[in-house]
Amino acid sequence: MARRKKIYEGKAKTLYEGPEPGTIVQYFKDDATAFNAEKRAVIEGKGVLNNLLSEYFMLGLSNLGIPNHFLKRLNMREQLVRACEIVPLEIIVRNYAAGTMAKRLGIDEGTQLPRPIVEYCLKDDKLGDPLVTEEHIAAFGWASQQDMDDILSLALRVNDFLSGVMYGVGIRLVDFKIEIGRVYEGDFQRLIVADEISPDSCRLWDIETGRKLDKDVFRRDLGDLSDAYTEVARRLGVLPRSGNAVPGPKLVQ
Ligand code: 5GP
């Protein structure tokens, strides 16, 4: 059997060359990392859940005409996506104060923000993905002013969509991170939502109980991460209501 070409191995995903030019196979691993990979574990079944959830969210975005990289799911762990040039920024949208913003500005976690706030971090693990301003982005040429206008608009549209979907199943979208890719169509370039949208990159709190249903469960040792992700997937109808698509996911230290 021919061996496929690995393009990139990240912390939670591996990318392989796709079957057609301009496509990539995105394989979701079970690895969980936090604090710039200082904390690591393998959570059996996490990759399957994130593959299904990212498919669900990307298809939802497509239905609203919000451009993204998703083409089709190939199997329980892999999806086919459009190849793109990733803009070297993490785009964070926050609806409630939490995480680094709560700490940086001394705001109580859970405080509703006056409006969604968009932040940009440089994608650089060695530097710990530092917060940057639009001045840095323009001066260092990471994205143009037109790109930044498009990125802001995409980020806010994704926020409206995701907030609504999550609210519908009793979950508060506290914040999330997306990545943006550049694709070329003839003489034109277009920006699309890339990477993944999953509980690895969102903060999701149960509206009634405040229970955390995202990667903070792992970061802060709050219980079983796969239980939390399974709950999100069940509520969204991504998993059958009875029985797991993922057999008995467990934390493997
Ligand atoms: P914070 O800046 O508070 O750590 O993160 C804000 C939001 O962005 C959270 O939902 C968090 O999960 C997400 N986020 C920030 N940086 C990363 C990252 O490097 N990887 C992933 N998967 N999510 C991130």
Side-chain angles (χ1 to χ4, degrees):
M1 204 199 294
R3 177 178 277 252
R4 58 187 173 174
K5 188 172 167 207
K6 191 191 279 187
I7 298 173
Y8 173 79
E9 176 143 16
K11 287 174 281 194
K13 293 185 296 298
T14 305
L15 306 183
Y16 297 95
E17 214 168 68
E20 312 283 342
T23 64
I24 283 181
V25 174
Q26 189 162 252
Y27 175 97
F28 287 77
K29 303 196 285 186
D30 282 343
D31 304 49
T33 61
F35 312 118
N36 214 358
E38 276 169 34
K39 180 172 179 174
R40 291 164 179 274
V42 175
I43 316 277
E44 203 184 311
K46 180 177 87 84
V48 172
L49 288 162
N50 280 354
N51 184 30
L52 296 174
L53 283 163
S54 201
E55 173 191 22
Y56 178 85
F57 293 128
M58 295 290 181
L59 284 176
L61 293 183
S62 297
N63 279 332
L64 297 186
I66 302 174
N68 65 82
H69 72 165
F70 184 82
L71 294 172
K72 68 172 175 183
R73 183 160 63 78
L74 298 171
N75 55 51
M76 293 303 269
R77 285 194 180 269
E78 295 178 327
Q79 49 185 245
L80 191 68
V81 298
R82 274 188 84 170
C84 57
E85 219 176 83
I86 294 285
V87 174
L89 298 171
E90 296 193 335
I91 322 298
I92 294 173
V93 184
R94 301 179 185 272
N95 298 305
Y96 294 80
T100 56
M101 186 208 215
K103 206 164 163 187
R104 190 184 332 120
L105 301 181
I107 306 175
D108 287 340
E109 275 217 322
T111 306
Q112 187 167 17
L113 299 171
R115 60 181 173 83
I117 294 179
V118 182
E119 293 178 342
Y120 306 101
C121 293
L122 179 65
K123 252 174 78 68
D124 187 324
D125 283 342
K126 279 193 254 91
L127 299 176
D129 300 336
L131 186 71
V132 292
T133 67
E134 290 195 54
E135 275 288 282
H136 297 114
I137 296 168
F140 293 115
W142 296 321
S144 68
Q145 188 52 55
Q146 178 63 54
D147 289 342
M148 292 313 290
D149 293 346
D150 293 347
I151 288 172
L152 180 64
S153 152
L154 277 173
L156 293 175
R157 290 178 79 195
V158 173
N159 186 43
D160 283 347
F161 163 72
L162 274 185
S163 297
V165 167
M166 299 316 299
Y167 184 76
V169 295
I171 295 174
R172 172 163 297 145
L173 178 67
V174 173
D175 57 31
F176 65 93
K177 181 262 308 183
I178 51 170
E179 295 187 19
I180 299 290
R182 226 184 272 286
V183 288
Y184 297 93
E185 288 160 4
D187 288 344
F188 296 94
Q189 67 134 34
R190 216 153 65 96
L191 296 179
I192 62 175
V193 178
D195 189 48
E196 71 177 278
I197 300 179
S198 76
D200 266 9
S201 48
C202 301
R203 283 199 173 89
L204 305 170
W205 297 354
D206 182 88
I207 289 176
E208 294 219 326
T209 64
R211 177 184 167 201
K212 294 187 191 339
L213 297 168
D214 56 63
K215 204 162 102 178
D216 273 351
V217 171
F218 170 69
R219 293 188 187 103
R220 302 181 188 186
D221 293 320
L222 300 176
D224 189 325
L225 188 72
S226 54
D227 277 357
Y229 287 22
T230 301
E231 177 65 22
V232 175
R234 273 240 174 75
R235 288 196 199 184
L236 291 168
V238 169
L239 288 185
R241 283 194 188 279
S242 58
N244 268 342
V246 193
K250 283 203 183 59
L251 176 66
V252 179
Q253 294 285 10

